[in-house]
Each structure stands twice: as structure tokens, then as C-alpha cells.
Amino acid sequence: MIRRWLVCVALACSATSHGVEIGDDVHTGVATCASSVCHGKLAPQRDENVWLNEFRIWSTEDRHSRAYKTLLTDESKRMAANLGLKNAHTAKICLDCHADNVSSEKRGRKFQITDGVGCEACHGGAERWIETHTEPGVTYAQNVAQGMFPMADPSERARICLNCHLGSRDQFTTHRIMGAGHPRLSFELESFTANQPAHYEVDDDYVARKSSLVEFSLWLSGQVDAATRYLDLLQSNLLSSAGIAPEFSLYDCHSCHHSMQDQRWGGIRKRQGLEPGGLRLQDYHLLMLRAVAGAVSEQDAGEMDRRIAALLRAGQKSYADIRTSASGFAAWLTDRKASWLERDFSSDQVKRIRRLIAQLGADGRMSDYSAAEQAFTSIESLSYFIDDVDAIESTLDKLFETVETEGGYSPARFRSACKSALARL
Ligand code: HEC
Ligand code: HEC
Ligand code: HEC
Ligand code: HEC
């Protein structure tokens, strides 16, 4: 079932010299996967383990196959001109996320950069497994040992997807890139997995060969990876690399971008010890983990609240304060997140997490758009796991209306929708 995702208005990106390259294997190119005897069949082969029409699905329906072509559009040309780049489609900063931009020694004979985000950008360079992965009896673990990325593992998948969908020290959409016209990036692993046109099915044989992936573990792994990445970015040079001001895209977009008629200071911001008129760092992935902590341990939930408030306060003080606070937070999270990822959450506990997200919304903790958007998609994703989407459809619809457009976002409306939702969740 397709998840509603929010159509973001053009608003996110940055430039450094090295993109993220995972693994040392040569990328043989989409053409090596695409023949009609391999993954290029017209129709899915339901009696096989895999459909074998993956190439067709990717090339006709999946936006990843168009990611390079996007760099040739007028929108990208304008962005390149705004940034002083010769071309978007030859600029490393754009190619790192819009193609499988591995270094030249890792490009096989049939590799083409124009293929965009091809099979090997997600599945890993096929050099050592291209011949063997079709042999009968070869297991998934053996393929992985030969360099195939373990995309069936939620944490590994989160790492691969978020490299491009949130970014890292090495490839990032700075405020300069957003200011030049790049859309704001926002990501939630469970919904984006559901929204990527599926070229595989998690059926009995998949589960036997790989594992049974549940929506909850995807959601949690995505939140954990994103929060960890964000705390890492705050400790990086990126924070202070934009001249006289901090890197704006590490702050909450709406701490600057909202109408002056809409006064938002007070309430939670005051209680957190923030100054009026000050910048606010982003806390939305941390807030999702705050809900997880709340379902597990009151003490950890309280500690998260204190640490989130301290991080936001540090964001109004100095680079040194931010780095210290982010590194302390990251260290504190290390054991917690490992135990959350290992834990077998029951449906009742997931319900509690969902309720806590709505509670945080009702308490005014999601006063900014990105947090409200993440809260909505999370509530929806968790509802698929809890399996009551139909029963609470009108509640989800009402919440969705409050985040449907970024421009029309009102914190008060979202808060009251969360309060009403609590009665049903
Ligand atoms: C190499 C970078 C890269 C990786 C890895 C990657 N993506 Fe993407 N993804 C993109 C880019 C770039 C676009 C936008 C393509 C375009 O329209 O030009 C995109 C678009 C999407 C879209 C469509 C978004 C929309 O608004 O409709 C979905 C869904 C998506 N990705 C999900 C995923 C998931 C899930 C993963 C991991 C399994 C993933 N992506 C891995 C770069 C990447
Ligand atoms: C950190 C990774 C990253 C970098 C760097 C990056 N992009 Fe993107 N870009 C994305 C993702 C992911 C999307 C899809 C966003 C979504 O729909 O959720 C996207 C979307 C876009 C879109 C909108 C596509 C559409 O179909 O609506 C354009 C245009 C674009 N990028 C151009 C560029 C250009 C030009 C550059 C270089 C200046 C660049 N991007 C750098 C990740 C990146
Ligand atoms: C944006 C990321 C992404 C891209 C690009 C991508 N895949 Fe996948 N693919 C996935 C994910 C996620 C899964 C599910 C996890 C898994 O089984 O590894 C998957 C699963 C598969 C499977 C396994 C099905 C099964 O039942 O075991 C095959 C085969 C496959 N992909 C082939 C391809 C081919 C061929 C291409 C290129 C034409 C491609 N993929 C491009 C993300 C991607
Ligand atoms: C510290 C304040 C601040 C923060 C935080 C901030 N911006 Fe900006 N933004 C600005 C300023 C200042 C401009 C330049 C406005 C101008 O040129 O008129 C700008 C311009 C832009 C523009 C271009 C608009 C135009 O009129 O040309 C976009 C798009 C944008 N920002 C997106 C974002 C996104 C997305 C985020 C969050 C990830 C963000 N901004 C966070 C202050 C901020």
C-alpha cells in the first residue's frame, strides 16, 4: 500500500570533495543485469525465487532510474547556474546522490553514469558475485560475503538509503544548494520503502532465504540511523563551514522560514530554556526515538528530554557547545539504540510508541513543520505494523490534512489534531 508522502516545495544540499563509496568492488553496470535472460524479463516470473523483471520495473517506474536525467532538466540547469557550476550532470556534488558515482577504477566496461541510481548503488558492486549469484545452492550469505550489500538487513538498508536521502559528512545538501533551488530532503525508511515501486516480494521463499522484515524494524532502523547521522553532522566541520553563520540546513528550516504573523515563541521553547528570537536545531528524529524510549524506560525518556533540550540550547550558544552536546548525546545513545534494535517490540508496545508520538505532538513538541511531517509519516507507518489502518482511517486523514502542504502548516492546528487523535490511537 502506497504511503502518502508529502510533496515538498522546492527548498536542501552541500559540496565536499569525496562522495560516499561503500565497498571496493567494481560496479559492472546496469547493462550486465538487464538482459532478457537475467533481470530484464517483461513479466514477473512468479514461480521463480525472484521476479526477473526488476530491470523493467526500475527503468519504467522507479525514480532512481531517472535520477541522472533530473540533472539535465531546466530546474537543475538553473540550480547549477545559481551555484556557479558549469553543469549539474558533470558536477560531482550532484552525481554523488543522483547516480552511482563510484571512482573510475571501480567502473566496469558496461558501467554508465547516465544510468543514475542503478542496481549496484543499492546492491553493491557485482564484480565478485555477478557470475556466482545465480548458481543453484549459492546462499544469500555467500553472496553477501562476495560483496552484495545486505539490503535485507534493516540497519544496513537504512545506511544505504540515508546516505543519499539525508546525507553525510561527504555528501550533503547544504543551505547554499537549497537556496539555489534544491528540494528539502525528508525521509522515513518505512514509507519510502513502501513508495519505491517494488521489484521484489517478501513472500515465504524470501523469508526462508533472507529474513522477515517487519515495518516496525524498518521504521526504527531508519530513525536510529538518521538521528545518529544528524548528531555526527553536528560534530563535523560542516557546521561551521558556511562563513559568518552556522550551516543553516542543520537548523530547523522553519526557525527562519515562517511568516512573522505567526508568533511561535513560548510554551515548550521557554520550558526548554531557549531564548526568544534564537535559532533552533532540528530535533525530529530525536523526538521519534524519545517516543521509543518512553515505551521502554521512564528514566531513559526523561534523559532524552533533558538531552534534547540541552542540545537545542547549545545550538543557540557556540559551535563548541554544539559539538560537546552532540557527542555526549551520541555516546549516550550508543547502548540504548543497540538494545532497542535487538528488542522484540510487541504490538502493544508499538501502539504505545505511536501514542507517545501523538502525545509529543499534543504537548506542542512538534512546533516545526519537519517534526510534524515526520510524526505523521511515523504514525502512519506504525499503523501498518499494528494493522489498524482501516479502523483509524479518518484519524489519519485528519492528521494528514494538517501536514499536507509545508506552506499551509500551522503548529496550533497540528497540535489540536494530535490531541483529537489521542482518543483513537
Ligand atoms: C545513490 C543515492 C540514492 C540511494 C542509495 C537511494 N536513493 Fe532514493 N532517491 C535518490 C534520488 C536522487 C532520488 C530523486 C530522483 C529524481 O527524481 O531525480 C530518489 C528518489 C526516491 C524516491 C521517490 C521519492 C518521491 O518523492 O517520490 C523514493 C521512494 C526513494 N528514493 C526511496 C529510496 C529507498 C527506500 C532507498 C534505499 C533502499 C533509496 N531510495 C536509496 C537517491 C538515492
Ligand atoms: C545528499 C544527496 C543529494 C545531493 C548532494 C543532491 N541531491 Fe538532488 N535530490 C536528492 C534526493 C534524495 C532527491 C529526491 C527528494 C525526494 O523526493 O524526497 C533529490 C531531488 C532533486 C531534484 C528534484 C527532482 C524531482 O523530480 O522533483 C532536483 C532537480 C535535484 N535533486 C537536483 C540536484 C542538483 C542539480 C544537485 C547538485 C547541485 C543535487 N540535486 C544534489 C539527493 C541529492
Ligand atoms: C534504491 C535501491 C535499489 C535499487 C536502485 C535497486 N534495488 Fe533491488 N532491492 C532493493 C531492496 C531494498 C530490496 C529488498 C531487500 C533485499 O532483498 O535485498 C531489493 C531486492 C532485490 C532483489 C531480491 C528479490 C528477492 O526475492 O530476493 C533483486 C533480484 C533485485 N533487488 C534486483 C535489482 C536489480 C536488477 C536492480 C537494477 C535494475 C535493482 N534491484 C535496483 C533496493 C534496490
Ligand atoms: C538561520 C536562518 C535559516 C535557516 C535555519 C534556514 N534558512 Fe533557508 N534561507 C535563509 C536566508 C537568509 C535565505 C536567503 C533569502 C533571500 O535571499 O532572500 C534563505 C533562502 C532559502 C531558499 C531560497 C529562497 C529564495 O527566496 O531564494 C530556500 C529554498 C531555503 N532557504 C530553504 C531552506 C531549508 C530547506 C532549510 C532547512 C533545511 C532552511 N532554508 C533553513 C535563512 C535560513
Side-chain angles (χ1 to χ4, degrees):
M1 168 73 82
I2 292 287
R3 303 290 186 275
R4 294 171 248 221
W5 190 257
L6 312 151
V7 189
C8 334
V9 209
L11 284 187
C13 252
S14 151
T16 47
S17 54
H18 302 285
V20 176
E21 292 196 15
I22 302 171
D24 299 323
D25 296 305
V26 168
H27 290 221
T28 57
V30 172
T32 56
C33 319
S35 93
S36 61
V37 292
C38 302
H39 296 288
K41 297 209 187 307
L42 288 175
Q45 310 293 298
R46 303 279 177 191
D47 49 347
E48 302 277 349
N49 278 344
V50 303
W51 289 354
L52 297 176
N53 67 336
E54 296 84 0
F55 169 74
R56 289 198 56 91
I57 295 176
W58 172 84
S59 60
T60 57
E61 296 171 34
D62 192 322
R63 274 181 53 186
H64 293 109
S65 66
R66 302 207 314 261
Y68 175 87
K69 291 177 194 85
T70 290
L71 301 179
L72 299 166
T73 59
D74 288 345
E75 193 184 354
S76 286
K77 283 187 183 136
R78 207 162 41 240
M79 220 184 290
N82 290 345
L83 290 166
L85 297 169
K86 193 159 166 269
N87 288 301
H89 67 277
T90 52
K92 181 170 164 47
I93 177 62
C94 308
L95 289 170
D96 281 345
C97 295
H98 283 262
D100 189 14
N101 196 24
V102 288
S103 47
S104 54
E105 70 278 9
K106 285 204 259 169
R107 297 182 182 188
R109 218 166 27 85
K110 293 185 176 169
F111 178 94
Q112 294 190 65
I113 193 75
T114 52
D115 283 332
V117 181
C119 319
E120 290 161 293
C122 287
H123 291 293
E127 180 183 20
R128 287 183 295 137
W129 52 265
I130 186 94
E131 298 294 339
T132 51
H133 79 294
T134 54
E135 286 170 14
V138 171
T139 63
Y140 183 54
Q142 285 166 327
N143 289 325
V144 169
Q146 296 297 316
M148 188 184 273
F149 292 162
M151 291 293 274
D153 176 307
S155 294
E156 292 291 330
R157 189 184 306 178
R159 184 165 75 101
I160 302 284
C161 308
L162 280 149
N163 258 337
C164 298
H165 281 273
L166 190 152
S168 69
R169 291 182 183 217
D170 301 317
Q171 57 192 44
F172 190 67
T173 51
T174 54
H175 191 259
R176 188 166 175 267
I177 295 180
M178 293 186 214
H182 198 279
R184 183 175 62 86
L185 295 187
S186 64
F187 191 76
E188 190 276 293
L189 183 58
E190 197 282 330
S191 347
F192 270 62
T193 294
N195 282 0
Q196 183 189 359
H199 54 268
Y200 61 95
E201 188 178 18
V202 182
D203 51 13
D204 291 346
D205 89 75
Y206 179 101
V207 173
R209 285 178 295 114
K210 297 178 168 177
S211 64
S212 59
L213 257 190
V214 292
E215 291 93 341
F216 178 71
S217 61
L218 278 178
W219 175 79
L220 181 61
S221 303
Q223 297 300 336
V224 162
D225 190 282
T228 308
R229 263 170 208 278
Y230 180 60
L231 292 174
D232 180 64
L233 288 167
L234 290 179
Q235 296 168 64
S236 74
N237 291 334
L238 199 68
L239 174 68
S240 51
S241 61
I244 61 161
E247 170 49 51
F248 288 173
S249 65
L250 293 171
Y251 280 83
D252 196 292
C253 313
H254 288 209
S255 71
C256 299
H257 292 282
H258 72 76
S259 153
M260 280 185 267
Q261 268 65 54
D262 177 13
Q263 296 273 319
R264 297 185 183 178
W265 198 80
I268 181 70
R269 292 177 188 163
K270 201 169 169 185
R271 291 199 298 282
Q272 286 175 324
L274 298 178
E275 292 294 334
L279 286 175
R280 286 181 317 282
L281 289 172
Q282 299 162 5
D283 60 0
Y284 49 100
H285 293 296
L286 295 166
L287 281 171
M288 298 305 121
L289 295 185
R290 157 67 178 78
V292 175
V296 175
S297 146
E298 278 303 318
Q299 205 185 337
D300 283 353
E303 186 62 28
M304 289 248 2
D305 283 340
R306 279 187 291 281
R307 287 185 179 272
I308 289 171
L311 182 70
L312 296 177
R313 284 195 305 273
Q316 297 190 332
K317 282 192 198 126
S318 72
Y319 296 143
D321 282 292
I322 294 173
R323 292 192 172 112
T324 309
S325 180
S327 97
F329 205 154
W332 181 83
L333 261 184
T334 307
D335 295 341
R336 264 75 187 177
K337 66 191 188 193
S339 83
W340 296 335
L341 289 170
E342 274 167 23
R343 198 183 175 102
D344 210 356
F345 282 87
S346 67
S347 182
D348 278 347
Q349 279 172 317
V350 175
K351 255 189 175 154
R352 189 158 154 68
I353 294 172
R354 185 176 67 176
R355 245 191 99 76
L356 282 167
I357 295 173
Q359 185 68 57
L360 290 166
D363 291 345
R365 296 280 294 268
M366 277 112 176
S367 57
D368 287 316
Y369 181 71
S370 320
E373 174 192 58
Q374 194 63 220
F376 168 75
T377 32
S378 294
I379 287 172
E380 188 181 46
S381 288
L382 297 181
S383 305
Y384 277 93
F385 174 80
I386 297 163
D387 202 15
D388 62 356
V389 175
D390 293 337
I392 61 163
E393 193 182 352
S394 67
T395 303
L396 292 174
D397 286 346
K398 288 204 185 82
L399 272 178
F400 180 66
E401 279 167 23
T402 63
V403 293
E404 196 167 3
T405 62
E406 182 161 3
Y409 178 66
S410 144
R413 264 184 72 220
F414 181 71
R415 196 173 170 180
S416 95
C418 284
K419 278 187 189 149
S420 322
L422 276 174
R424 300 292 318 277
L425 296 177

